[in-house]
Amino acid sequence: MLLATALTGCTDDGGGEPGAAGLGDPYFPELGNGGYDVRHYALTLDYEPRTGRLTGTADITARATQTLSAFNLDLTGLTVHGATVDGTPATVHRSGTEVTLRPGADLKSGDTFRTVIRYSGTPVTITDAEGAREGWLRTADGAVALGEPTGSTAWFPGNHHPSDKATYALTVTVPNGLKAISNGELTTHRPSGDRTTFTWRSTEPMASYLATLAIGRYETKTSRTPDGLPVHTAARGNPPLLARIPELLAWEAERFGPYPFASTGAIVDPLIDVQYALETQSRPFFDKNTFDVSTLVHELAHQWYGNSVSPESWRDMWLNESFATYAEWLYAEDFADKPAQESFDEAFADDENWAFPPADPPTAADISGPPVYGRGAMVLHKIRQTVGDDTFFAILRGWAAEHRHANASTEDFVSYVEEEAGEDLTTLWDTYLYGEGRPTDPSA
């Protein structure tokens, strides 16, 4: 869904209009852009850790969803030096985080077009609405790029809303001795003089906030699961927990269905202290204090719920976090002799989980608040209690399969569950998903 209020501007004789400068997301209305759908990003980057300077070219393939006289890209900081559309120079206008490109001729609705943008500068660290740091995070020998919810705008131009997923190719040149780690598969590792170039490709669609780049003196390893899935890890040191990824992934695949990507792994960097882990696609990231079993289970579960099945808007964040949190409850149930009901009871007793409805956070600062996680997981547990284990676990697998590599909303989920359950669950939704207060009886 890529329609929003159109950017004001002239209409060309060909009938084209400017694409919208934002998609009208409930919490980030100016994030993303209308009038086109990105199919592929090819990013060519050169980074110098000593100065912090990034030089980049973004080659973006997209399809017009309306006849366009101009269109926008999101970019925070960094300087745009020029752009072409289908090989012809485009007029570039910059206003804050919006880059407006006006091609020499209208782009017809349904046409595929190619935009190439040259840019450079020192990428910034963004402090988001809840106070967390994201964007470009420098370390003593490199940097890590983390994107949720808006940080990806700090290092490449694009349509930075989760509803516009695309494939990626990332080619990064860094000084010798450093490694560049990203999502997907490493296809090229090429030294030349005093620098080395790494190329990574992600062939499954990815929301831009899930794209990552880690540059530094990492120890990297590639292995395979018993089923032959590549496992790519990058860490400072060799945390023993990395060896458990194949085992944990196999357990989650039994619960959630086939793993949705061509590889798995992790990035562990104790030089970064952002106080969170992030489900960066196929390669979740962990900072200095987050690489533990429970968090690893959580971030791996996101590969199904959040990464493959992505939110339609940031209001649907609870669909990401409820499933990942419930994966922690299931792990504790299967391996720590702690029934999911006990985890539910603890969450029910926690006042923070009742601050607001998980499906309707009051502000952008709340989209990662406790109710999105804890009360969101309570929603899933109440579904389990209502429909029974057989139907519930079929719902977990079916939901991931139904929207594999796509986007889905809360409304989609409610409809799917009721169809699979064969009953109206209005009371459950009204109490746990949308209710303003805690019921007096946890069995309600």
Side-chain angles (χ1 to χ4, degrees):
M1 209 185 311
L2 297 173
L3 298 178
T5 302
L7 176 71
T8 58
C10 65
T11 299
D12 293 347
D13 291 341
E17 294 184 353
L23 291 180
D25 185 273
Y27 303 102
F28 306 96
E30 296 181 359
L31 199 64
N33 302 283
Y36 65 95
D37 176 16
V38 176
R39 300 302 180 85
H40 182 70
Y41 292 95
L43 306 177
T44 302
L45 308 176
D46 190 295
Y47 186 61
E48 179 48 67
R50 182 178 56 84
T51 62
R53 183 174 178 80
L54 179 73
T55 302
T57 299
D59 190 334
I60 304 170
T61 302
R63 182 182 63 85
T65 59
Q66 67 178 68
T67 298
L68 287 168
S69 61
F71 60 94
N72 280 31
L73 297 166
D74 303 313
L75 184 65
T76 299
L78 302 175
T79 300
V80 175
H81 301 292
T84 62
V85 176
D86 288 337
T88 301
T91 301
V92 179
H93 175 73
R94 184 69 179 271
S95 177
T97 59
E98 295 290 337
V99 177
T100 303
L101 302 184
R102 187 173 293 275
D106 284 359
L107 301 169
K108 304 301 182 184
S109 181
D111 284 355
T112 297
F113 63 98
R114 179 182 173 192
T115 302
V116 178
I117 303 167
R118 295 177 294 105
Y119 62 100
S120 68
T122 303
V124 299
T125 298
I126 295 172
T127 300
D128 64 27
E130 59 183 304
R133 294 186 304 126
E134 54 177 301
W136 194 264
L137 306 167
R138 290 184 68 179
T139 62
D141 61 358
V144 173
L146 300 175
E148 187 179 70
T150 66
S152 52
T153 67
W155 60 286
F156 67 96
N159 201 15
H160 290 281
H161 189 269
S163 61
D164 193 3
K165 301 168 72 168
T167 58
Y168 282 73
L170 193 65
T171 299
V172 187
T173 300
V174 295
N176 288 342
L178 303 183
K179 294 178 180 177
I181 315 299
S182 189
N183 317 82
E185 303 302 309
L186 180 65
T187 61
T188 302
H189 171 204
R190 185 178 66 253
S192 179
D194 62 353
R195 300 181 76 76
T196 302
T197 298
F198 299 81
T199 298
W200 294 85
R201 294 187 183 277
S202 297
T203 56
E204 298 94 358
M206 178 165 65
S208 61
Y209 79 91
L210 298 170
T212 192
L213 173 60
I215 298 169
R217 299 185 185 278
Y218 294 106
E219 180 177 339
T220 58
K221 292 185 178 181
T222 296
S223 59
R224 290 186 178 271
T225 68
D227 292 335
L229 185 76
V231 182
H232 303 298
T233 61
R236 299 184 190 271
N238 185 26
L241 183 55
L242 289 174
R244 294 196 61 191
I245 290 175
E247 162 207 339
L248 295 173
L249 201 70
W251 171 76
E252 293 195 355
E254 289 181 4
R255 290 298 196 183
F256 310 142
Y259 179 72
F261 300 109
S263 67
T264 187
I267 301 169
V268 183
D269 194 337
L271 295 184
I272 297 290
D273 184 10
V274 290
Q275 302 180 46
Y276 63 84
L278 187 62
E279 61 268 23
T280 41
Q281 190 158 300
S282 76
R283 205 82 66 247
F285 170 84
F286 302 85
D287 80 341
K288 66 179 295 184
N289 295 314
T290 55
F291 196 51
D292 56 60
V293 174
S294 183
T295 309
L296 180 55
V297 166
H298 183 106
E299 304 306 335
L300 289 177
H302 271 311
Q303 305 308 310
W304 283 265
Y305 309 109
N307 295 12
S308 177
V309 185
S310 299
E312 187 67 32
S313 81
W314 286 110
R315 179 168 281 155
D316 304 306
M317 178 79 156
W318 82 277
L319 285 173
N320 296 12
E321 301 303 344
S322 62
F323 281 93
T325 301
Y326 202 75
E328 296 181 62
W329 294 10
L330 291 174
Y331 181 84
E333 185 168 71
D334 286 357
F335 298 102
D337 196 28
K338 181 180 180 179
Q341 182 62 46
E342 187 175 332
S343 296
F344 173 92
D345 291 341
E346 291 174 357
F348 187 91
D350 187 344
D351 291 345
E352 289 189 340
N353 286 327
W354 300 95
F356 57 82
D360 193 18
T363 70
D366 299 304
I367 64 170
S368 293
V372 172
Y373 292 72
R375 193 166 154 196
M378 281 191 272
V379 172
L380 297 183
H381 192 68
K382 295 306 290 187
I383 295 170
R384 182 181 179 182
Q385 288 182 325
T386 301
V387 305
D389 277 9
D390 289 347
T391 300
F392 175 72
F393 287 106
I395 286 171
L396 291 189
R397 293 187 293 270
W399 174 249
E402 180 86 4
H403 297 281
R404 182 182 174 95
H405 300 314
N407 295 84
S409 67
T410 299
E411 292 74 16
D412 293 329
F413 181 71
V414 167
S415 297
Y416 180 82
V417 171
E418 291 192 343
E419 182 177 346
E420 295 301 306
E423 59 181 300
D424 184 329
L425 302 178
T426 298
T427 300
L428 190 160
W429 311 130
D430 286 350
T431 302
Y432 285 91
L433 189 56
Y434 290 108
E436 292 292 343
R438 175 168 40 199
T440 55
D441 181 1
S443 65

